[in-house]
Amino acid sequence: MVREVSESCIDSLLTEMVACYCNRFYANKPELAARRIEAIGYQVGHQLSERYTMDRPRFTDHLEAIKFICKDFWSELFKKQIDNLKTNHRGTFVLQDNKFRWLARMSIDPSTENVSPVEDITSPTAESKAAQAMSMHLYFPCGIIRGALSNLGIPCAVSADISNLPACVYLSLSHNLEKTF
Amino acid sequence: MPPVAPRSGDAIFANVERVNAELFTLTYGAIVRQLLTDLEEVEEVNEQLDQMGYNIGIRLIDEFLAKSNVSRCNDFRETTDVIAKVGFKMFLGVTASVTNWDADGTCCSIVLEDNPLVDFVELPDNCQGLYYCNILSGVIRGALDMVSMKTEVTWLRDVLRGDDVFELQVKLLKHVPEEYPYKDDE
């Protein structure tokens, strides 16, 4: 029997972590806030990949490790597998989740933002503010994936695309093919 | 409509969406570690954890009231009892107990023997003064604020400091009367 907590605990913690770094510590430095949030995710991913691979034999190649991330690792975190995995066979992979759990309750509707009265409610500024807030939340899962793969011997860079929120999240990871097991 | 009986913490926990506690434990640990890196003083980390907890508590109370069928608690004693028996079980899956009431019924201790936040955790020597679980004191204070009880929450015992349990002292500072947004006589 594995120990569990209510999902509200992790949801609340993530929301407050992002608010803490984006609104309090680095209110005017989104790049610094993003780096901190990603670093926290990296550490979590690094540790989780050890927990989830304890009983598994060593992966024989990169693709097998990345498939592990798409199936078992993703299921542990998000209760579903990655919906689609694509690769250009030159070290870049795109992982597509059609209903990313941690953003499922977020809206990109500009009318819910705190726009100033003089600002057009449909202006690009209002929308970009919402998109920016949304993207801050994605630095954490990007960090998790990068941490997990680094611990499995695949140093990489991970970025996220949020163009179809909240339906779809693309994580793109690239690594140096010269690295061998 | 007849009132529905309050649900037990176990019943609620069995029905809410749950996640592997390790994700929660490791995420919290990584946040604390990052805060220790970013802030100069351990006391600042304690304050930040408390503030984060407060912001979480003011929102968790809504979910708690929505799912627990708890009606209005008549006094501070009943409120803390519900938090310990239902709230901790509902969210963290652990049971807390309430002890050490003072004569006035305005000060008590909430005791946790089991705490998922500290699985895998060891504190290095340079973190003396850190209240690792200070987010919990903020959560409790924030939740009670939303039901009109101003409190002061402090740590009396901490397993990470060598004690055998976690003990939080909760002191009621002021019970704020509820204010309606309209006037009856208009």
Side-chain angles (χ1 to χ4, degrees):
Chain A
M1 174 66 174
V2 69
R3 163 173 251 182
E4 291 181 313
V5 295
S6 161
E7 190 173 35
S8 298
C9 292
I10 192 67
D11 286 349
S12 299
L13 190 58
L14 296 184
T15 300
E16 191 54 29
M17 169 189 67
V18 172
C20 181
Y21 275 98
C22 294
N23 302 334
R24 297 206 284 278
F25 288 166
Y26 299 107
N28 297 309
K29 300 168 183 171
E31 176 54 35
L32 288 182
R35 206 176 303 158
R36 294 298 196 280
I37 293 166
E38 202 270 351
I40 292 170
Y42 180 93
Q43 191 181 315
V44 173
H46 200 273
Q47 292 167 319
L48 283 176
S49 66
E50 286 196 14
R51 301 288 298 159
Y52 296 157
T53 57
M54 258 186 330
D55 300 320
R56 296 179 66 108
R58 178 180 285 265
F59 296 115
T60 55
D61 60 26
H62 294 338
L63 183 57
E64 193 180 335
I66 288 165
K67 282 180 175 176
F68 163 76
I69 294 293
C70 293
K71 295 177 177 176
D72 301 305
F73 194 82
W74 212 260
S75 293
E76 284 282 353
L77 265 61
F78 307 115
K79 300 175 189 279
K80 68 186 279 286
Q81 294 181 2
I82 279 280
D83 294 295
N84 200 346
L85 171 66
K86 299 172 183 169
T87 179
N88 63 2
H89 300 291
R90 290 196 299 272
T92 297
F93 295 82
V94 174
L95 288 64
Q96 178 181 331
D97 188 324
N98 289 335
K99 193 171 169 64
F100 188 59
R101 197 174 189 93
W102 288 349
L103 296 181
R105 285 185 279 263
M106 287 191 189
S107 165
I108 201 155
D109 181 359
S111 67
T112 64
E113 292 294 302
N114 297 320
V115 294
S116 67
V118 298
E119 198 168 41
D120 184 350
I121 201 163
T122 59
S123 75
T125 303
E127 254 178 48
S128 65
K129 277 179 186 171
Q132 185 184 359
M134 195 88 67
S135 68
M136 279 299 174
H137 281 82
L138 285 168
Y139 283 102
F140 183 70
C142 286
I144 288 182
I145 299 308
R146 187 171 74 86
L149 285 169
S150 294
N151 202 8
L152 299 178
I154 306 177
C156 60
V158 182
S159 62
D161 176 13
I162 57 171
S163 51
N164 291 306
L165 277 170
C168 194
V169 165
Y170 298 90
L171 290 174
S172 176
L173 65 105
S174 305
H175 66 94
N176 187 340
L177 271 180
E178 290 168 18
K179 173 74 179 182
T180 56
F181 281 79
Chain B
M1 176 176 177
V4 187
R7 304 175 73 197
S8 73
D10 277 315
I12 304 168
F13 190 62
N15 280 281
V16 297
E17 283 281 7
R18 297 186 297 279
V19 297
N20 188 320
E22 286 178 0
L23 171 63
F24 177 64
T25 304
L26 293 173
T27 298
Y28 185 69
I31 291 171
V32 174
R33 194 157 131 184
Q34 190 65 47
L35 288 174
L36 287 164
T37 301
D38 289 338
L39 299 174
E40 308 234 326
E41 301 292 335
V42 166
E43 189 51 43
E44 291 176 43
V45 176
N46 287 338
E47 288 169 8
Q48 200 58 234
L49 291 173
D50 185 75
Q51 180 64 54
M52 292 175 74
Y54 182 89
N55 292 343
I56 291 171
I58 61 178
R59 295 192 289 260
L60 278 194
I61 184 68
D62 285 334
E63 180 176 356
F64 175 75
L65 293 174
K67 292 183 174 174
S68 65
N69 292 347
V70 170
S71 59
R72 175 184 301 274
C73 292
N74 293 305
D75 56 23
F76 183 59
R77 181 180 283 263
E78 188 180 344
T79 304
T80 51
D81 205 51
V82 166
I83 286 174
K85 289 196 167 68
V86 183
F88 273 89
K89 172 62 73 168
M90 172 180 167
F91 290 111
L92 294 179
V94 298
T95 301
S97 57
V98 185
T99 63
N100 295 341
W101 280 100
D102 69 350
D104 299 338
T106 57
C107 185
C108 69
S109 291
I110 295 179
V111 175
L112 273 176
E113 294 181 10
D114 188 19
N115 183 354
L117 282 178
V118 299
D119 291 343
F120 315 120
V121 177
E122 289 178 13
L123 290 188
D125 288 341
N126 62 327
C127 285
Q128 288 183 22
L130 173 70
Y131 287 107
Y132 186 86
C133 296
N134 219 33
I135 198 165
L136 287 183
S137 68
V139 170
I140 292 172
R141 192 167 57 82
L144 288 172
D145 250 28
M146 290 295 109
V147 292
S148 307
M149 297 180 185
K150 305 297 181 183
T151 57
E152 181 182 55
V153 184
T154 52
W155 291 98
L156 298 185
R157 285 189 283 170
D158 186 332
V159 167
L160 296 178
R161 292 168 170 229
D163 299 310
D164 53 332
V165 295
F166 288 93
E167 185 177 351
L168 278 159
Q169 184 181 77
V170 186
K171 182 188 295 182
L172 178 65
L173 300 177
K174 186 166 62 169
H175 204 317
V176 182
E178 202 165 345
E179 294 176 12
Y180 291 93
Y182 54 84
K183 295 181 179 178
D184 283 313
D185 54 330
E186 285 181 343

